[in-house]
Amino acid sequence: MKRTIVTYGGTQYTIANEDVETVQARIAEGLRSEPFMWLQVNFGDGRATPAQLLISPATPVAIVTERDVDEQDEDSSVARYLLPDQQRPASVELGPADS
């Protein structure tokens, strides 16, 4: 299951089954006609508690899609930290003289 993490006021909340683009679109649509909106999220680990976040144009919010563990490949932890002009490091095998 995909979930989106929303960081608000230094606390992490989650939204199940929505990606970053969907959450961004909901926020943008909600703020088009009103000066603020309420965003429904979940709070807590395990059994989540529903919560409402007050969002305005000046509200600092970070939105991150968390992928399932089975969607991540072995090299994803390396690749996501590389800058665009960087390359993956070459594999190095240590032999008896190198150990």
Side-chain angles (χ1 to χ4, degrees):
M1 173 174 68
K2 182 189 310 184
R3 68 180 187 165
T4 298
I5 299 170
V6 177
T7 302
Y8 179 95
T11 302
Q12 286 191 346
Y13 301 88
T14 59
I15 301 173
N17 300 319
E18 287 191 18
D19 59 12
V20 170
E21 292 80 18
T22 303
V23 175
Q24 284 177 312
R26 271 205 299 145
I27 292 172
E29 181 63 31
L31 294 176
R32 265 195 199 99
S33 60
E34 300 292 330
F36 65 88
M37 66 162 293
W38 291 99
L39 180 65
Q40 184 170 353
V41 295
N42 297 310
F43 175 73
D45 293 328
R47 187 173 185 177
T49 303
Q52 299 284 332
L53 304 180
L54 182 62
I55 307 289
S56 74
T59 304
V61 177
I63 306 169
V64 179
T65 297
E66 182 179 73
R67 296 188 319 171
D68 286 337
V69 174
D70 59 341
E71 290 180 14
Q72 297 177 1
D73 60 21
E74 293 175 3
D75 294 331
S76 66
S77 60
V78 173
R80 69 178 166 197
Y81 295 109
L82 295 177
L83 297 173
D85 60 340
Q86 290 179 315
Q87 296 179 359
R88 291 183 181 199
S91 297
V92 177
E93 291 187 26
L94 295 177
D98 297 328
S99 350

XYZ file of all heavy atoms in Angstrom:
763
model
N 0.840 -1.172 0.000
C 0.000 0.000 0.000
C 0.890 1.243 0.000
O 1.843 1.330 0.744
C -0.901 -0.004 1.232
C -1.681 1.273 1.387
S -2.902 1.277 2.721
C -1.886 1.220 4.165
N 0.567 2.185 -0.850
C 1.288 3.437 -0.932
C 0.666 4.409 0.063
O -0.534 4.445 0.257
C 1.162 4.010 -2.339
C 1.919 5.303 -2.537
C 1.613 5.964 -3.856
C 1.741 5.009 -5.000
N 1.543 5.629 -6.295
N 1.495 5.184 0.719
C 0.973 6.231 1.576
C 1.837 7.459 1.414
O 3.005 7.383 1.047
C 0.899 5.789 3.022
C 2.214 5.575 3.690
C 2.028 5.136 5.115
N 3.325 5.095 5.760
C 3.502 5.036 7.054
N 2.459 5.004 7.844
N 4.692 4.992 7.569
N 1.248 8.603 1.679
C 1.956 9.864 1.573
C 2.184 10.402 2.973
O 1.282 10.388 3.812
C 1.143 10.866 0.734
O 1.002 10.339 -0.577
C 1.828 12.209 0.649
N 3.392 10.848 3.219
C 3.748 11.431 4.507
C 3.647 12.948 4.374
O 4.183 13.538 3.438
C 5.174 11.034 4.918
C 5.264 9.511 5.063
C 5.589 11.740 6.195
C 6.665 8.996 5.229
N 2.963 13.571 5.307
C 2.829 15.022 5.355
C 3.494 15.491 6.646
O 3.116 15.046 7.729
C 1.341 15.451 5.342
C 1.206 16.955 5.473
C 0.639 14.944 4.093
N 4.484 16.350 6.517
C 5.129 16.925 7.688
C 4.552 18.316 7.908
O 4.582 19.156 7.012
C 6.656 17.002 7.506
O 7.142 15.684 7.264
C 7.329 17.547 8.742
N 4.023 18.519 9.100
C 3.311 19.760 9.430
C 3.656 20.119 10.865
O 3.459 19.308 11.769
C 1.806 19.499 9.281
C 0.886 20.648 9.591
C 0.424 21.488 8.583
C 0.438 20.870 10.879
C -0.453 22.512 8.852
C -0.434 21.908 11.161
C -0.876 22.727 10.147
O -1.754 23.752 10.404
N 4.229 21.291 11.077
C 4.592 21.703 12.430
C 5.599 20.783 13.095
O 5.584 20.622 14.312
N 6.449 20.135 12.310
C 7.458 19.239 12.851
C 6.960 17.833 13.172
O 7.711 17.007 13.665
N 5.690 17.555 12.896
C 5.116 16.238 13.160
C 4.749 15.576 11.832
O 4.300 16.246 10.906
C 3.842 16.372 14.036
O 4.207 17.034 15.254
C 3.243 15.021 14.360
N 4.937 14.264 11.761
C 4.587 13.530 10.550
C 3.187 12.943 10.652
O 2.825 12.359 11.671
C 5.578 12.401 10.288
C 6.907 12.898 9.786
C 7.778 11.764 9.288
O 7.514 10.598 9.531
N 8.829 12.117 8.588
N 2.433 13.127 9.587
C 1.098 12.565 9.435
C 1.108 11.750 8.153
O 2.024 11.877 7.337
C 0.054 13.689 9.336
C 0.044 14.601 10.531
C 0.874 15.708 10.591
C -0.793 14.344 11.610
C 0.876 16.548 11.702
C -0.804 15.180 12.724
C 0.034 16.279 12.751
O 0.026 17.096 13.851
N 0.103 10.915 7.934
C 0.050 10.114 6.719
C -1.313 10.227 6.054
O -2.316 10.527 6.698
C 0.334 8.624 7.006
O -0.638 8.136 7.933
C 1.739 8.417 7.553
N -1.305 9.975 4.747
C -2.523 9.854 3.953
C -2.363 8.563 3.165
O -1.403 8.402 2.409
C -2.713 11.046 3.002
C -2.786 12.356 3.794
C -3.961 10.855 2.156
C -2.809 13.603 2.934
N -3.278 7.634 3.338
C -3.188 6.335 2.668
C -3.697 6.422 1.240
O -4.637 7.161 0.935
C -3.997 5.297 3.438
N -3.075 5.648 0.370
C -3.510 5.451 -1.021
C -3.589 6.721 -1.851
O -4.422 6.829 -2.741
C -4.859 4.718 -1.062
C -4.771 3.361 -0.418
O -3.784 2.637 -0.604
N -5.762 3.016 0.363
N -2.744 7.692 -1.567
C -2.654 8.901 -2.386
C -1.187 9.230 -2.597
O -0.379 9.068 -1.696
C -3.359 10.089 -1.724
C -4.861 9.994 -1.763
C -5.533 11.297 -1.356
O -4.879 12.358 -1.359
O -6.725 11.239 -1.029
N -0.870 9.724 -3.801
C 0.504 10.113 -4.075
C 0.663 11.622 -3.901
O -0.301 12.342 -3.636
C 0.947 9.653 -5.464
C 0.077 10.211 -6.577
O -0.727 11.133 -6.315
O 0.192 9.730 -7.707
N 1.881 12.093 -4.041
C 2.198 13.506 -3.835
C 1.362 14.393 -4.752
O 0.806 15.398 -4.313
C 3.710 13.759 -4.071
C 4.018 15.243 -4.116
C 4.539 13.095 -2.995
N 1.261 14.018 -6.019
C 0.533 14.837 -6.987
C -0.931 14.996 -6.598
O -1.502 16.076 -6.719
C 0.657 14.239 -8.396
C 2.054 14.303 -8.982
C 2.971 13.205 -8.452
O 2.485 12.194 -7.909
O 4.200 13.389 -8.564
N -1.559 13.935 -6.113
C -2.963 13.992 -5.711
C -3.147 14.903 -4.507
O -4.068 15.726 -4.469
C -3.483 12.579 -5.382
O -3.284 11.744 -6.513
C -4.954 12.597 -5.022
N -2.263 14.797 -3.521
C -2.358 15.644 -2.332
C -2.111 17.103 -2.710
O -2.838 18.000 -2.270
C -1.379 15.174 -1.231
C -1.398 16.122 -0.039
C -1.722 13.758 -0.789
N -1.112 17.358 -3.547
C -0.839 18.727 -3.987
C -2.045 19.310 -4.712
O -2.404 20.471 -4.491
C 0.369 18.766 -4.924
C 1.686 18.632 -4.217
C 2.828 18.616 -5.198
O 2.811 17.894 -6.196
N 3.850 19.397 -4.917
N -2.663 18.528 -5.591
C -3.825 18.991 -6.336
C -4.985 19.317 -5.389
O -5.686 20.320 -5.577
C -4.245 17.953 -7.365
N -5.198 18.477 -4.381
C -6.272 18.735 -3.410
C -6.029 20.028 -2.647
O -6.945 20.821 -2.429
C -6.387 17.579 -2.414
C -7.316 16.501 -2.880
C -7.894 15.699 -1.740
N -6.877 15.006 -0.948
C -6.971 14.826 0.356
N -7.990 15.267 1.031
N -6.032 14.170 1.000
N -4.779 20.259 -2.244
C -4.451 21.482 -1.515
C -4.627 22.701 -2.422
O -5.244 23.698 -2.031
C -3.029 21.419 -0.924
C -2.974 20.368 0.190
C -2.580 22.783 -0.407
C -1.577 20.070 0.713
N -4.107 22.627 -3.632
C -4.230 23.749 -4.570
C -5.696 24.067 -4.850
O -6.100 25.235 -4.842
C -3.488 23.432 -5.865
N -6.503 23.046 -5.075
C -7.935 23.243 -5.339
C -8.630 23.847 -4.120
O -9.455 24.755 -4.249
C -8.584 21.917 -5.714
C -10.058 22.013 -6.028
C -10.359 22.883 -7.238
O -9.528 22.937 -8.160
O -11.436 23.512 -7.266
N -8.289 23.376 -2.941
C -8.907 23.880 -1.722
C -8.579 25.339 -1.445
O -9.393 26.067 -0.885
N -7.384 25.785 -1.857
C -6.960 27.161 -1.605
C -7.356 28.128 -2.717
O -7.199 29.332 -2.562
C -5.442 27.213 -1.384
C -4.925 26.502 -0.136
C -3.411 26.556 -0.087
C -5.539 27.086 1.124
N -7.878 27.609 -3.826
C -8.258 28.491 -4.931
C -9.354 29.478 -4.548
O -9.300 30.636 -4.920
C -8.729 27.668 -6.129
C -7.630 27.453 -7.084
C -8.068 26.973 -8.444
N -6.869 26.396 -9.016
C -6.590 25.109 -9.044
N -7.459 24.239 -8.636
N -5.455 24.695 -9.514
N -10.347 29.016 -3.828
C -11.488 29.879 -3.525
C -11.557 30.312 -2.064
O -12.361 31.165 -1.709
C -12.784 29.171 -3.904
O -12.902 27.963 -3.180
N -10.747 29.746 -1.209
C -10.789 30.053 0.225
C -9.381 30.429 0.705
O -8.392 29.969 0.152
C -11.283 28.839 1.023
C -12.673 28.372 0.649
C -13.760 29.368 1.031
O -13.584 30.102 2.029
O -14.767 29.422 0.326
N -9.283 31.215 1.777
C -7.963 31.581 2.311
C -7.294 30.448 3.086
O -6.117 30.518 3.385
C -8.250 32.769 3.222
C -9.689 32.629 3.588
C -10.359 31.921 2.434
N -8.057 29.408 3.429
C -7.491 28.258 4.126
C -8.351 27.040 3.828
O -9.445 27.144 3.280
C -7.410 28.494 5.646
C -8.751 28.635 6.308
C -9.435 27.520 6.760
C -9.336 29.881 6.465
C -10.670 27.635 7.370
C -10.570 30.015 7.075
C -11.236 28.887 7.525
N -7.856 25.878 4.190
C -8.603 24.631 4.010
C -8.179 23.658 5.103
O -7.138 23.824 5.729
C -8.340 24.009 2.638
C -6.898 23.544 2.463
S -6.601 22.377 1.153
C -7.447 20.946 1.688
N -8.992 22.650 5.317
C -8.670 21.568 6.254
C -8.274 20.347 5.445
O -8.970 19.947 4.517
C -9.872 21.237 7.138
C -10.174 22.328 8.100
C -11.126 23.298 7.960
C -9.513 22.578 9.340
N -11.097 24.137 9.041
C -10.121 23.724 9.912
C -8.489 21.963 10.031
C -9.729 24.250 11.133
C -8.086 22.482 11.253
C -8.701 23.612 11.791
N -7.124 19.767 5.760
C -6.630 18.563 5.092
C -6.758 17.394 6.056
O -6.180 17.420 7.156
C -5.167 18.748 4.683
C -4.498 17.581 3.970
C -5.152 17.330 2.609
C -3.009 17.857 3.798
N -7.514 16.383 5.658
C -7.681 15.208 6.519
C -6.487 14.275 6.352
O -6.115 13.913 5.242
C -8.957 14.451 6.195
C -9.182 13.300 7.151
C -10.553 12.669 7.004
O -11.404 13.149 6.290
N -10.746 11.570 7.697
N -5.888 13.906 7.495
C -4.710 13.045 7.536
C -4.889 12.034 8.656
O -5.890 12.057 9.370
C -3.431 13.880 7.769
C -3.166 14.822 6.607
C -3.510 14.660 9.074
N -3.899 11.170 8.811
C -3.872 10.215 9.921
C -2.666 10.507 10.787
O -1.597 10.849 10.291
C -3.793 8.776 9.411
C -5.005 8.399 8.616
O -6.135 8.603 9.053
N -4.796 7.874 7.423
N -2.842 10.332 12.095
C -1.761 10.563 13.048
C -1.491 9.275 13.807
O -2.414 8.576 14.216
C -2.146 11.669 14.039
C -1.130 11.861 15.122
C 0.077 12.465 14.856
C -1.379 11.415 16.409
C 1.020 12.641 15.852
C -0.448 11.592 17.419
C 0.758 12.197 17.129
N -0.205 8.976 14.006
C 0.170 7.831 14.832
C 0.562 6.618 14.025
O 0.249 6.487 12.848
N 1.266 5.714 14.694
C 1.691 4.456 14.086
C 0.704 3.357 14.465
O 0.031 3.445 15.483
C 3.092 4.078 14.577
C 4.143 5.043 14.085
O 3.980 5.578 12.979
O 5.126 5.262 14.814
N 0.682 2.320 13.656
C -0.240 1.219 13.937
C -1.659 1.638 13.619
O -1.990 1.917 12.495
N -2.475 1.726 14.631
C -3.859 2.156 14.439
C -3.881 3.685 14.395
O -3.760 4.361 15.420
C -4.723 1.644 15.572
C -6.168 1.900 15.358
C -6.972 1.227 16.416
N -8.377 1.381 16.125
C -9.327 0.863 16.837
N -9.027 0.124 17.890
N -10.576 1.055 16.523
N -4.045 4.237 13.200
C -3.968 5.680 13.009
C -5.223 6.384 13.510
O -6.326 5.856 13.449
C -3.763 5.992 11.530
N -5.030 7.591 14.005
C -6.116 8.437 14.469
C -6.347 9.529 13.434
O -5.402 10.226 13.062
C -5.740 9.094 15.819
O -5.432 8.060 16.744
C -6.856 9.951 16.342
N -7.582 9.711 12.964
C -7.853 10.788 12.000
C -7.554 12.157 12.615
O -7.808 12.391 13.798
C -9.343 10.648 11.703
C -9.699 9.256 12.099
C -8.779 8.907 13.229
N -7.009 13.047 11.796
C -6.688 14.403 12.243
C -6.962 15.364 11.086
O -6.990 14.956 9.922
C -5.224 14.494 12.660
N -7.145 16.617 11.402
C -7.363 17.673 10.411
C -6.247 18.706 10.552
O -5.973 19.179 11.662
C -8.714 18.359 10.651
C -9.909 17.446 10.550
C -10.250 17.120 9.108
O -9.988 17.886 8.191
N -10.845 15.960 8.902
N -5.609 19.052 9.433
C -4.567 20.075 9.435
C -5.102 21.326 8.751
O -5.680 21.248 7.670
C -3.328 19.586 8.683
C -2.693 18.290 9.160
C -1.487 17.947 8.299
C -2.310 18.376 10.625
N -4.901 22.482 9.371
C -5.319 23.752 8.801
C -4.230 24.217 7.843
O -3.096 24.473 8.247
C -5.546 24.788 9.906
C -6.026 26.163 9.460
C -7.386 26.059 8.765
C -6.113 27.091 10.648
N -4.564 24.316 6.561
C -3.601 24.674 5.520
C -3.964 26.046 4.961
O -5.124 26.302 4.649
C -3.619 23.648 4.359
C -3.432 22.216 4.876
C -2.586 23.996 3.301
C -2.069 21.890 5.388
N -2.963 26.924 4.829
C -3.134 28.224 4.194
C -1.964 28.416 3.225
O -1.021 27.625 3.232
C -3.152 29.335 5.248
O -1.854 29.550 5.747
N -2.000 29.466 2.398
C -0.869 29.683 1.486
C 0.474 29.859 2.208
O 1.517 29.594 1.640
C -1.249 30.957 0.739
C -2.741 30.962 0.767
C -3.102 30.392 2.114
N 0.456 30.277 3.461
C 1.694 30.494 4.206
C 2.102 29.301 5.062
O 3.095 29.360 5.776
C 1.539 31.726 5.098
N 1.363 28.200 4.980
C 1.659 27.032 5.803
C 2.812 26.228 5.211
O 2.722 25.774 4.076
C 0.420 26.115 5.898
O -0.676 26.856 6.392
C 0.689 24.927 6.805
N 3.900 26.028 5.970
C 4.977 25.164 5.465
C 4.591 23.688 5.648
O 4.389 23.221 6.767
C 6.177 25.541 6.321
C 5.596 26.104 7.577
C 4.244 26.659 7.236
N 4.465 22.993 4.525
C 4.078 21.582 4.530
C 5.021 20.838 3.601
O 5.282 21.285 2.491
C 2.622 21.403 4.033
C 2.249 19.948 3.958
C 1.656 22.149 4.920
N 5.530 19.698 4.054
C 6.332 18.821 3.195
C 5.493 17.590 2.886
O 4.838 17.031 3.766
C 7.618 18.416 3.901
N 5.498 17.180 1.611
C 4.704 16.036 1.174
C 5.636 15.042 0.500
O 6.327 15.383 -0.454
C 3.609 16.469 0.178
C 2.760 17.585 0.782
C 2.748 15.285 -0.218
C 1.839 18.242 -0.210
N 5.665 13.795 1.005
C 6.565 12.764 0.488
C 5.787 11.477 0.292
O 5.051 11.054 1.185
C 7.721 12.504 1.492
C 8.646 11.421 0.978
C 8.475 13.774 1.795
N 5.935 10.840 -0.874
C 5.321 9.535 -1.082
C 6.258 8.469 -0.548
O 7.428 8.412 -0.916
C 5.042 9.267 -2.574
O 4.115 10.241 -3.031
C 4.465 7.887 -2.795
N 5.757 7.636 0.336
C 6.541 6.530 0.877
C 6.213 5.291 0.063
O 5.054 4.905 -0.048
C 6.194 6.302 2.348
C 7.003 5.201 2.973
C 6.642 5.030 4.433
O 5.555 4.505 4.704
O 7.436 5.430 5.282
N 7.234 4.664 -0.506
C 7.010 3.466 -1.296
C 7.045 2.235 -0.424
O 7.675 2.224 0.625
C 8.077 3.342 -2.386
C 8.024 4.452 -3.383
C 8.918 4.241 -4.554
N 10.220 3.698 -4.177
C 11.106 3.279 -5.061
N 10.858 3.309 -6.333
N 12.260 2.807 -4.665
N 6.369 1.183 -0.894
C 6.434 -0.105 -0.212
C 7.846 -0.646 -0.298
O 8.572 -0.390 -1.256
C 5.496 -1.125 -0.863
C 4.046 -0.854 -0.548
O 3.779 -0.193 0.468
O 3.192 -1.304 -1.315
N 8.238 -1.423 0.678
C 9.569 -2.032 0.689
C 9.759 -2.914 -0.540
O 10.808 -2.910 -1.159
C 9.775 -2.854 1.987
C 11.089 -3.599 1.951
C 9.713 -1.942 3.190
N 8.725 -3.652 -0.953
C 8.866 -4.543 -2.106
C 8.944 -3.784 -3.418
O 9.312 -4.345 -4.437
C 7.742 -5.587 -2.147
C 6.365 -4.959 -2.211
O 6.223 -3.772 -1.878
O 5.423 -5.677 -2.588
N 8.655 -2.476 -3.452
C 8.791 -1.677 -4.666
C 10.204 -1.145 -4.828
O 10.580 -0.684 -5.879
C 7.830 -0.484 -4.631
C 6.386 -0.852 -4.769
C 5.493 0.378 -4.725
O 6.013 1.506 -4.861
O 4.296 0.210 -4.553
N 11.016 -1.181 -3.780
C 12.360 -0.636 -3.831
C 13.334 -1.717 -4.292
O 13.269 -2.843 -3.832
C 12.776 -0.114 -2.460
C 11.906 1.022 -1.996
C 12.280 1.485 -0.604
O 13.199 0.969 0.002
N 11.567 2.463 -0.113
N 14.231 -1.341 -5.192
C 15.244 -2.302 -5.610
C 16.463 -2.175 -4.706
O 16.556 -1.278 -3.878
C 15.612 -2.132 -7.082
C 16.166 -0.755 -7.397
O 16.642 -0.080 -6.467
O 16.123 -0.343 -8.568
N 17.412 -3.075 -4.873
C 18.580 -3.120 -3.999
C 19.410 -1.845 -4.064
O 19.969 -1.421 -3.080
C 19.475 -4.299 -4.384
C 18.843 -5.637 -4.129
C 19.715 -6.768 -4.630
O 20.830 -6.510 -5.126
O 19.288 -7.918 -4.540
N 19.516 -1.235 -5.247
C 20.382 -0.075 -5.420
C 19.667 1.240 -5.189
O 20.250 2.294 -5.354
C 20.983 -0.076 -6.831
C 21.925 -1.247 -7.041
O 22.526 -1.692 -6.046
O 22.060 -1.710 -8.173
N 18.398 1.238 -4.796
C 17.667 2.489 -4.662
C 18.265 3.384 -3.581
O 18.229 4.593 -3.685
C 16.185 2.239 -4.384
O 16.017 1.637 -3.120
N 18.830 2.791 -2.528
C 19.395 3.613 -1.472
C 20.621 4.367 -1.956
O 20.914 5.448 -1.481
C 19.754 2.757 -0.262
O 20.707 1.787 -0.618
N 21.347 3.818 -2.907
C 22.498 4.500 -3.464
C 22.049 5.518 -4.495
O 22.438 6.671 -4.463
C 23.481 3.494 -4.116
C 24.595 4.231 -4.837
C 24.036 2.557 -3.080
N 21.172 5.130 -5.398
C 20.790 5.970 -6.516
C 20.083 7.245 -6.078
O 20.301 8.302 -6.643
C 19.899 5.191 -7.472
N 19.273 7.200 -5.054
C 18.508 8.382 -4.695
C 19.365 9.480 -4.091
O 18.946 10.609 -3.979
C 17.362 8.023 -3.772
C 17.785 7.600 -2.410
C 16.598 7.312 -1.545
N 17.087 6.601 -0.375
C 16.360 5.921 0.428
N 15.084 5.830 0.226
N 16.867 5.304 1.457
N 20.585 9.171 -3.654
C 21.445 10.180 -3.070
C 22.469 10.736 -4.065
O 23.254 11.588 -3.720
C 22.166 9.617 -1.840
C 21.207 9.274 -0.748
C 20.951 7.953 -0.434
C 20.508 10.251 -0.064
C 20.033 7.622 0.547
C 19.595 9.928 0.923
C 19.365 8.615 1.224
O 18.459 8.298 2.201
N 22.447 10.284 -5.294
C 23.385 10.767 -6.293
C 22.848 12.036 -6.938
O 21.671 12.139 -7.242
C 23.611 9.708 -7.376
C 24.281 8.415 -6.912
C 24.372 7.437 -8.063
C 25.655 8.685 -6.346
N 23.731 13.012 -7.152
C 23.354 14.193 -7.899
C 23.277 13.832 -9.374
O 23.870 12.841 -9.817
C 24.389 15.296 -7.669
C 24.506 15.774 -6.214
C 25.660 16.743 -6.064
C 23.204 16.399 -5.760
N 22.568 14.627 -10.196
C 22.399 14.276 -11.610
C 23.700 14.035 -12.368
O 23.765 13.193 -13.240
C 21.651 15.482 -12.187
C 20.934 16.068 -11.020
C 21.825 15.812 -9.840
N 24.771 14.765 -12.030
C 26.031 14.593 -12.761
C 26.939 13.524 -12.152
O 28.026 13.283 -12.623
C 26.779 15.924 -12.859
C 27.116 16.501 -11.488
O 26.463 16.104 -10.504
O 28.018 17.348 -11.419
N 26.484 12.858 -11.104
C 27.287 11.810 -10.478
C 26.961 10.454 -11.080
O 25.875 10.236 -11.592
C 27.025 11.744 -8.979
C 27.562 12.930 -8.207
C 27.250 12.802 -6.735
O 26.134 12.463 -6.384
N 28.235 13.084 -5.897
N 27.913 9.552 -10.998
C 27.708 8.185 -11.449
C 27.831 7.260 -10.254
O 28.442 7.601 -9.239
C 28.753 7.806 -12.498
C 28.652 8.629 -13.760
C 29.724 8.217 -14.741
O 30.539 7.354 -14.470
N 29.726 8.844 -15.896
N 27.254 6.088 -10.401
C 27.388 5.091 -9.327
C 28.837 4.655 -9.221
O 29.520 4.509 -10.222
C 26.520 3.871 -9.622
C 25.075 4.181 -9.529
C 24.267 2.956 -9.754
N 22.865 3.325 -9.670
C 21.895 2.480 -9.457
N 22.142 1.207 -9.312
N 20.653 2.876 -9.400
N 29.309 4.421 -8.019
C 30.696 3.971 -7.864
C 30.879 2.572 -8.446
O 29.965 1.757 -8.415
C 30.915 3.964 -6.353
C 29.563 4.032 -5.747
C 28.626 4.587 -6.765
N 32.066 2.351 -8.991
C 32.373 1.032 -9.544
C 32.504 0.021 -8.411
O 32.870 0.363 -7.294
C 33.682 1.104 -10.334
N 32.178 -1.208 -8.722
C 32.333 -2.272 -7.736
C 33.811 -2.546 -7.510
O 34.600 -2.521 -8.428
C 31.668 -3.557 -8.223
O 30.306 -3.360 -8.373
N 34.156 -2.783 -6.295
C 35.544 -3.092 -5.956
C 35.552 -4.415 -5.219
O 34.840 -4.610 -4.259
C 36.145 -2.001 -5.033
C 37.555 -2.366 -4.630
C 36.097 -0.653 -5.711
N 36.361 -5.344 -5.733
C 36.500 -6.640 -5.062
C 37.818 -6.651 -4.327
O 38.854 -6.303 -4.862
C 36.448 -7.769 -6.095
C 35.086 -7.933 -6.710
C 35.021 -9.152 -7.603
O 35.795 -10.114 -7.387
O 34.192 -9.140 -8.514
N 37.769 -7.037 -3.077
C 38.984 -7.114 -2.296
C 39.570 -8.511 -2.407
O 38.868 -9.495 -2.200
C 38.702 -6.811 -0.824
C 38.218 -5.394 -0.519
C 37.904 -5.262 0.963
C 39.260 -4.369 -0.916
N 40.837 -8.553 -2.752
C 41.534 -9.829 -2.831
C 42.371 -10.031 -1.583
O 42.381 -9.191 -0.674
N 43.127 -11.120 -1.508
C 43.937 -11.413 -0.321
C 44.920 -10.279 0.005
O 45.144 -9.960 1.156
C 44.702 -12.669 -0.683
C 43.942 -13.286 -1.813
C 43.206 -12.179 -2.494
N 45.501 -9.625 -1.026
C 46.478 -8.570 -0.775
C 45.796 -7.297 -0.305
O 46.417 -6.445 0.327
C 47.279 -8.282 -2.047
N 44.495 -7.110 -0.627
C 43.780 -5.880 -0.285
C 43.133 -5.940 1.087
O 42.661 -4.947 1.597
C 42.684 -5.592 -1.326
C 43.278 -5.358 -2.710
O 44.399 -4.832 -2.775
O 42.596 -5.692 -3.707
N 43.056 -7.089 1.720
C 42.321 -7.187 2.992
C 43.174 -6.783 4.156
O 44.296 -6.779 4.208
C 41.793 -8.569 3.275
O 41.860 -9.472 2.270
